[in-house]
Every structure is written in C-alpha cells, then in structure tokens.
Amino acid sequence: MKTVFRDAELFDLIPQRPPIVMVDLLQNVTDSGAETGLTIKEDNLFVHNGQMQEPGLIEHIAQSAAAFAGFKGYADGGQPRLGYIGEIKRLFVYARPCVGACLHTTLRVLGEAAGITLLAAEVKDGEALVAEGQMKIFLKED
Amino acid sequence: MTKLIEDFYDILSRRDEGGESVFEVTLNPACKVYEGHFPGTPVSPGVCNIQMILECASEVAGKPLMLTYIAQCRMTRLITPNEFHTLEVRISLDGENLRASIGAESVPAQEGIEAGTERETYLTLKGTVA
Amino acid sequence: MNKEELIEKVNTTLAEEFETDIEKLTPDANIKKTLELDSLSLVDMIALIDNEFGVKIANTELPKIQTFQALYDYLEANMK
C-alpha cells in the first residue's frame, strides 16, 4: 500500500484545495502519529514580506492532522472527510520561516473521544523549532 | 494596517466598550480562499479568523503584532461567509496579553430554527502578542 | 499503587487540570457534570488519563464510565 504522499497526491487525503493547501508531504504514518512537510513558496497565501505568517504555520499543523486522518480513511477505502479545528492549545510560535524553507512536522496523537482527536505537533525548519502546540480536530460525519 | 489576505473581510466600524475594542466586520464570500476551503462548501478557515483578530489587535496597538503564543483558542461554531451579514471582533489588549472573541449580535436563521437575538460567540482566543 | 492511592491521584490530577474543587469529586458524582466537560474538553481527560496512568479509554468504553467510581474501577482493571 502507498505510504508516502507528495503534493497533489495528498488531494486523495485532504479536502483542502489551492490556494489553501498547506501540506505537501505525508510519511511514516503509524497508529499514533505521522511526519509531514511543507516547502514554503513565494506565492503561498500566508506569506508576507518573504515570511510565513502565524496562521500559515497553524494551518500547516491543521492540514497535517487532516492528512493523517485522511490516511486512515484512505486505508479503509474511504474519501477524505472535512476536518475542522475545534481548539488550539498551548501553541508557541518561535519564528516566521522564510520562503524556500522546508518545514518538517511531527504529529503525535494524545487522545481521541467522540470524533475529536487531540494532537501534539512540532514544526521544524531544519534543526530549528519554529512552532509547537496542541490542536483538537473534529471530522464531519458523512 | 496591511491585511495578509486582502479581500477576506472589511472593517465596517470600530467602537470602544468597557475596555474592549469592538470591530464590526463583514466577510467577503468572493474571497479566493473559498475556492479551496472547501470546493462547493465555503467555510471561513479558523486561521483566517485568527489573522483577522491579530490585524484588529494591531489596529488597537497601532503597530503590526506577531502572535507568539495561543494559550487557548476555542472554535465552537463554524463561520461561513454567506451566513453572516456582520460579525463582531472584540479585542482586549493589555500589554502583551491578548483576549479576543468573534461573535454576532444576532444569530441567522437556520433550517427549522428562527433567527435569534441573543449575542453568540463562535471563537474565543487567549494568547500573547509581540 | 493501591486503590486508595489511585483514587487520590485521579482526583488530584483531574481537579487540577479542570480547575475544580477536589471536594466535589465524590465516587457517585457524574464526571462530565462535575468537571464541566464539553465535547472538546472530554478528549483532554482521555489524554490526561493515558499520560498519567498509561490507560487508553476506548470510545466504546466511554459511555460506561459516567461516575468517578466507574473511572476508578476501570483504571484499576486496566492498569498494568
């Protein structure tokens, strides 16, 4: 089974489409987490003065979670479901990464209940931690 | 103040009310973000609503702010651009501490439910800016 | 950890996280009502229990765990 998804291949997993696609890599998926990536391009919706702004980083985490959830659905032969952010908690933004940066994100599931998943995420640009925090995502029932 | 996503919203008015700055805003359903969020189902991205809060807070501060920390941001109802004529963005800025909410003065009617008149809050945020 | 210690740790952990008066956490009290949990904060409790006690509460088990007593019993039965 396919285990690495890049660029438009992710459209099988997430409901978001351009101009608001904020994840371009999903790999190393396990039951309890995954790794994702995003290369920041000049024309990214959330880039201003050559730097990715805070909502872009948060949306990258949210769509990483969407891709992770989508992968589970895909593995079961399902379509991606719309996922929404329910809550953001204890999220730090340390820097605004620049155009050209390759973000590398580690997701970890902390808990699940009643259709809501609590995840922890760490976003790195090379070795530098640019953002970290928790997010709750709920998936819309079909 | 510069907007990150130029046509996402417009500020209609601003007033001060008991230590809070209240911005009346309107969302633009023609914004390009809805082409992808989501095709055929326009829903205002939570992060765009957060950016709108940050830009209103920047107006209050008189300088561009960076959102360095979100202690908690709860989104209790989806916000869609077609549903609301106007929304209220409430900003309370005390040094680096930001408290904000997005709500509406009256609730639009939904299928089987009459329009309400109670003020409702759809998003609350506690955090730190720099 | 014996059962008394378990109960003590559960109560302390939950009362602190959800900023509730620990006196209100009695065995027969309803968890959601006492801690004022909504659908968003329920998952915080699940994650906290997993982190502190190493027990994952499955979605199918959740409806059976209404009171603190039910939670203590579930943890006692499932802790390694």
Side-chain angles (χ1 to χ4, degrees):
Chain A
M1 198 181 82
K2 192 169 174 57
T3 55
V4 179
F5 290 77
R6 290 177 200 281
D7 302 313
E9 293 170 352
L10 282 154
F11 293 179
D12 285 340
L13 308 183
I14 62 171
Q16 291 86 3
R17 290 294 178 269
I20 189 167
V21 173
M22 296 296 290
V23 60
D24 62 15
L25 173 68
L26 174 76
Q27 62 184 8
N28 296 335
V29 184
T30 66
D31 281 346
S32 60
E35 289 173 27
T36 65
L38 176 70
T39 300
I40 303 174
K41 294 182 180 152
E42 180 74 53
D43 63 352
N44 188 294
L45 188 66
F46 297 104
V47 165
H48 179 66
N49 289 342
Q51 291 180 316
M52 168 75 79
Q53 306 295 299
E54 302 84 291
L57 290 168
I58 300 168
E59 185 64 18
H60 167 63
I61 296 173
Q63 291 191 19
S64 295
F68 170 70
F71 180 86
K72 290 182 160 179
Y74 177 86
D76 301 335
Q79 291 289 315
R81 285 151 70 192
L82 300 190
Y84 303 103
I85 304 173
E87 186 179 309
I88 300 166
K89 242 173 104 174
R90 295 175 198 140
L91 184 133
F92 294 84
V93 176
Y94 301 113
R96 291 170 168 165
C98 295
V99 168
C102 294
L103 301 181
H104 176 86
T105 299
T106 312
L107 279 185
R108 219 157 30 91
V109 175
L110 300 180
E112 281 179 280
I116 296 171
T117 305
L118 173 65
L119 297 134
E122 273 187 8
V123 184
K124 285 184 173 175
D125 171 6
E127 288 303 303
L129 191 59
V130 293
E132 62 179 330
Q134 296 181 11
M135 198 177 283
K136 286 174 195 162
I137 303 285
F138 63 94
L139 293 176
K140 200 177 165 192
E141 294 299 330
D142 295 327
Chain B
M1 213 61 67
T2 326
K3 284 187 202 163
L4 179 58
I5 301 169
E6 185 51 45
D7 56 355
F8 182 66
Y9 69 100
D10 283 306
I11 295 176
L12 302 175
S13 69
R14 175 186 166 176
R15 66 179 193 274
D16 291 319
E17 196 177 286
E20 279 186 328
S21 296
V22 184
F23 294 80
E24 203 183 24
V25 303
T26 180
L27 298 177
N28 173 19
C31 179
K32 66 183 175 191
V33 72
Y34 298 113
E35 290 170 20
H37 200 279
F38 300 95
T41 311
V43 176
S44 305
V47 298
C48 293
N49 297 328
I50 292 175
Q51 178 67 20
M52 181 164 73
I53 284 175
L54 186 61
E55 288 168 7
C56 289
S58 298
E59 287 285 340
V60 174
K63 59 174 186 185
L65 298 172
M66 177 173 171
L67 186 60
T68 51
Y69 178 59
I70 297 175
Q72 189 180 46
C73 175
R74 293 193 128 216
M75 305 182 195
T76 49
R77 182 196 198 282
L78 296 180
I79 297 175
T80 61
N82 296 313
E83 210 176 355
F84 295 95
H85 184 55
T86 57
L87 287 168
E88 275 183 359
V89 180
R90 290 177 171 258
I91 304 288
S92 164
L93 196 60
D94 178 11
E96 60 176 15
N97 295 314
L98 170 68
R99 277 170 179 271
S101 70
I102 297 177
E105 198 61 65
S106 60
V107 185
Q110 287 178 316
E111 208 177 303
I113 306 169
E114 279 184 43
T117 49
E118 292 287 299
R119 182 173 191 282
E120 286 214 357
T121 302
Y122 309 129
L123 183 155
T124 57
L125 185 148
K126 278 185 284 185
T128 308
V129 291
Chain C
M1 202 185 309
N2 65 31
K3 186 121 184 194
E4 271 178 24
E5 289 165 345
L6 172 72
I7 291 172
E8 169 79 24
K9 189 175 173 194
V10 170
N11 289 359
T12 315
T13 306
L14 293 180
E16 190 181 330
E17 173 73 14
F18 299 103
E19 296 172 1
T20 308
D21 185 355
I22 199 162
E23 305 294 316
K24 291 183 184 163
L25 279 63
T26 56
D28 294 332
N30 181 285
I31 297 173
K32 279 196 208 174
K33 278 185 194 152
T34 308
L35 303 178
E36 295 177 17
L37 302 181
D38 58 15
S39 56
L40 275 174
S41 47
L42 184 63
V43 68
D44 286 318
M45 188 187 83
I46 305 287
L48 190 66
I49 296 285
D50 185 3
N51 193 39
E52 294 288 327
F53 301 95
V55 175
K56 289 188 200 305
I57 302 175
N59 269 327
T60 46
E61 297 295 326
L62 208 50
K64 298 174 201 160
I65 306 171
Q66 295 289 330
T67 63
F68 289 98
Q69 187 64 52
L71 179 62
Y72 308 144
D73 294 344
Y74 185 83
L75 289 178
E76 189 183 33
N78 290 280
M79 273 170 70
K80 280 150 202 159

